[in-house]
Amino acid sequence: MSSNATEERVLAAVGERRELVNEAIDEEVPMAEPQRLYEATRYLLEAGGKRLRPAVALLAAEALADVEPLSTEYRAFPALDEGSVDLMSAAVGLEVIQSFTLIHDDIMDDDDLRRGVPAVHEAYDTETAILAGDTLYSKAFELMTNTGAKPERGLEATRLLATTCTRICEGQALDVSFEHRSDILPEEYLEMIEFKTAVLYGAAAATPAVLMGADDDVVDALYQYGIDAGCAFQIQDDVLDLTVPSEELGKQRGSDLVEEKETLITLHARQHDVDIAGLVDTASLDDVTESDIDAAVSELEHVGSIKYAREMAEELVRESKERLEVLPDNEARGLLEDIADYLITRGY
Amino acid sequence: MSSNATEERVLAAVGERRELVNEAIDEEVPMAEPQRLYEATRYLLEAGGKRLRPAVALLAAEALADVEPLSTEYRAFPALDEGSVDLMSAAVGLEVIQSFTLIHDDIMDDDDLRRGVPAVHEAYDTETAILAGDTLYSKAFELMTNTGAKPERGLEATRLLATTCTRICEGQALDVSFEHRSDILPEEYLEMIEFKTAVLYGAAAATPAVLMGADDDVVDALYQYGIDAGCAFQIQDDVLDLTVPSEELGKQRGSDLVEEKETLITLHARQHDVDIAGLVDTASLDDVTESDIDAAVSELEHVGSIKYAREMAEELVRESKERLEVLPDNEARGLLEDIADYLITRGY
């Protein structure tokens, strides 16, 4: 299977759903009073984003219901037994949570840019950014309680959203704590990215199954699909930071090394006696040269650290696709498999 | 009715429940990994607090069920029809939301002290404080989805919590926006305090009714009890800031005037042509004297602004107590009435 063809299929499938998701975002998070607050809540949502998590949710529903993709109204999607579910409300809720975490993370990490525009705390101010994140947080729970699913399912999906958010906070706290440690184990790193990144993919894939009344084993399998794919996605991010030219990456290649951010790659290299702190001597992104990065990447290639990370991501993608075997074999399931592949074949 | 006797009854009733609430907080928000994150989430909860909102919730349940106060297990409280509800889970959820809002508000307002100890962002750092607040936020939703109430009631209570949190954020945003305006109308101010402060009292009083399966008119009446009492509480706070000696208040009397914070009192005075900016010439809390404040208070008394606020608070308390007439006439309802009285008779 050509990775170009996979990418094209994924981008088409995600793109078709993105328009619908964007319309729903406008309906569900409309401008309101106080104006400045709601402008700030909408600012990052309007700045773009692939809407990958909503796409995963909507495709999971289509695969599960065994319907032709895009043939069924997402706002009144048939449950597996009877009645219908507003899946779009849930999908928007997941994207809104993603947006809230980005806004707060950017404050915590002091990142000034996001999606090519100033971060919310730069475009507005830190107070407004905290509050915009907090507002999106509760909006997501409003959305998840308003799917019209059977109450026990709506409650279960809302509980899943709550535990997911707790995990995301724990993951961000672990990430911050790693900045002060040089003895992180690969399994600790994997737990961190699972919590910080992958659980929201898990929730995206599992939530439709919960709302539509699927069996527990299907819910669990979809959740694990998201966890595995989400972890692979994050590991691939770390690989791309070293291997994609700066101009394609949209930021300095090797910035993780310069900023001494631990990744699976540096953890592996450390275990193979590479002096990580000495890999790139320059302490600042302004001074680093492409040849500094080339030399560091060479050394990491030499001890097999980049290969290690790549293979780990590939293995996770294989596992994530296997999880989908609980679903009927149909086009939507194929697209979910493609998305898992895409997460590690994407160029940036 | 003596206000001292009322105060004693309220403090006893709240105190008896506080111990149970504190035990439940330890169970529901235990220490966990990552340690620094969970220390920070527990820090303010451990620093004290009256637990007034949980007390309102537990008393509302007792009044509604028409049982003798403290006679019934809060963790398995009988619903009005059948089955039982873990009211303590809901009550702790409400307190946890209160704690989250205080942590984030203190960052936004740059307040260094809270409950006599350094604010979380001072004791830890801003990043940890943002994340501790975010963690409590999702914990509260976990708690509200875990009451064991009938699913449609659990879902409804969770939805009420979500809309309440959205309102609180809007209230905080309004409060911040008022700093830049000198043309605020009293009704705008009342809306701000309703959103920022009173809705959580409304949710505290109404949530047990939702979970126990009370009729909509009872739910609505209890919600309005909380709204009216919560607004009275906030207005009384503004009165106390001017009328209670600094040593009892635990901060400089008149600090709202020095910091040019708008209150119902200054809004009324403004409408009666008082030059609010000139009331206290000193721009800093360090330089202000008691006689500066005395002079300002005299002028506010003279135009009737303090009386206006007091009477508004008294009227709101009267209305809040009337709302309780939907409940059986019993000891718990009497205590809810006492709490409303206490909110404006308390000394600080």
Side-chain angles (χ1 to χ4, degrees), chain A residues 65-341:
Chain A
D66 204 12
V67 296
E68 201 186 321
L70 297 169
S71 68
T72 314
E73 171 62 57
Y74 292 129
R75 289 283 195 184
F77 203 87
L80 295 181
D81 43 3
E82 54 181 9
S84 69
V85 178
D86 183 351
L87 284 180
M88 194 51 99
S89 185
V92 170
L94 293 159
E95 184 69 14
V96 161
I97 286 292
Q98 166 69 2
S99 190
F100 134 66
T101 64
L102 295 178
I103 293 172
H104 281 193
D105 281 2
D106 285 344
I107 304 171
M108 292 183 241
D109 300 342
D110 207 6
D111 283 335
D112 296 346
L113 282 177
R114 171 69 69 175
R115 292 180 176 159
V117 296
V120 177
H121 66 279
E122 289 290 321
Y124 294 82
D125 51 66
T126 300
E127 294 68 31
T128 305
I130 292 174
L131 210 46
D134 290 345
T135 306
L136 289 168
Y137 209 156
S138 51
K139 279 274 169 192
F141 281 94
E142 288 185 40
L143 286 160
M144 197 56 86
T145 59
N146 283 331
T147 62
K150 286 194 180 171
E152 64 271 26
R153 297 173 187 170
L155 194 60
E156 180 63 33
T158 306
R159 188 182 297 125
L160 175 60
L161 187 66
T163 54
T164 298
C165 290
T166 303
R167 277 280 180 268
I168 293 172
C169 293
E170 290 171 355
Q172 170 70 3
L174 286 172
D175 197 14
V176 170
S177 75
F178 286 179
E179 284 171 26
H180 313 291
R181 287 181 51 195
S182 57
D183 60 345
I184 304 149
L185 301 171
E187 51 269 35
E188 288 182 290
Y189 181 80
L190 289 171
E191 184 185 71
M192 182 277 281
I193 63 174
E194 177 178 327
F195 286 12
K196 181 171 169 164
T197 303
V199 291
L200 195 55
Y201 281 100
T207 295
V210 172
L211 292 171
M212 290 163 64
D215 291 340
D216 285 351
D217 62 328
V218 174
V219 171
D220 292 346
L222 279 164
Y223 186 76
Q224 277 304 324
Y225 158 80
I227 295 289
D228 292 339
C231 284
F233 168 84
Q234 188 57 55
I235 293 169
Q236 180 66 6
D237 242 21
D238 300 338
V239 171
L240 293 177
D241 182 71
L242 293 175
T243 56
V244 172
S246 302
E247 52 272 29
E248 280 177 47
L249 212 53
K251 60 174 186 174
Q252 175 61 52
R253 180 172 64 109
S255 60
D256 288 349
L257 287 181
V258 180
E259 291 169 348
E260 297 189 13
K261 189 170 164 296
E262 295 286 359
T263 66
L264 201 58
I265 298 163
T266 61
L267 296 178
H268 177 274
R270 219 181 259 285
Q271 289 186 324
H272 291 76
D273 299 324
V274 174
D275 170 21
I276 298 298
L279 259 185
V280 178
D281 278 335
T282 325
S284 142
L285 281 175
D286 296 332
D287 303 332
V288 78
T289 66
E290 289 297 321
S291 68
D292 291 338
I293 303 293
D294 284 339
V297 169
S298 260
E299 190 163 349
L300 292 170
E301 293 276 17
H302 180 71
V303 294
S305 302
I306 295 179
K307 184 158 175 276
Y308 166 78
R310 257 193 235 277
E311 285 177 355
M312 172 89 78
E314 283 164 11
E315 176 58 25
L316 283 164
V317 165
R318 254 193 307 278
E319 284 173 19
S320 83
K321 291 192 290 185
E322 275 175 31
R323 312 281 188 181
L324 297 177
E325 285 166 16
V326 296
L327 297 176
D329 186 6
N330 54 32
E331 190 184 340
R333 178 178 126 182
L335 285 167
L336 288 172
E337 291 166 2
D338 288 342
I339 285 179
D341 280 320

Side-chain angles (χ1 to χ4, degrees), chain B residues 127-162:
Chain B
E127 293 70 28
T128 305
I130 292 174
L131 211 45
D134 290 345
T135 306
L136 290 168
Y137 209 156
S138 51
K139 280 275 169 191
F141 281 94
E142 288 186 41
L143 286 160
M144 197 55 86
T145 58
N146 283 331
T147 62
K150 287 194 179 170
E152 65 271 25
R153 296 172 187 171
L155 194 61
E156 180 63 33
T158 306
R159 188 181 296 127
L160 175 60
L161 188 66

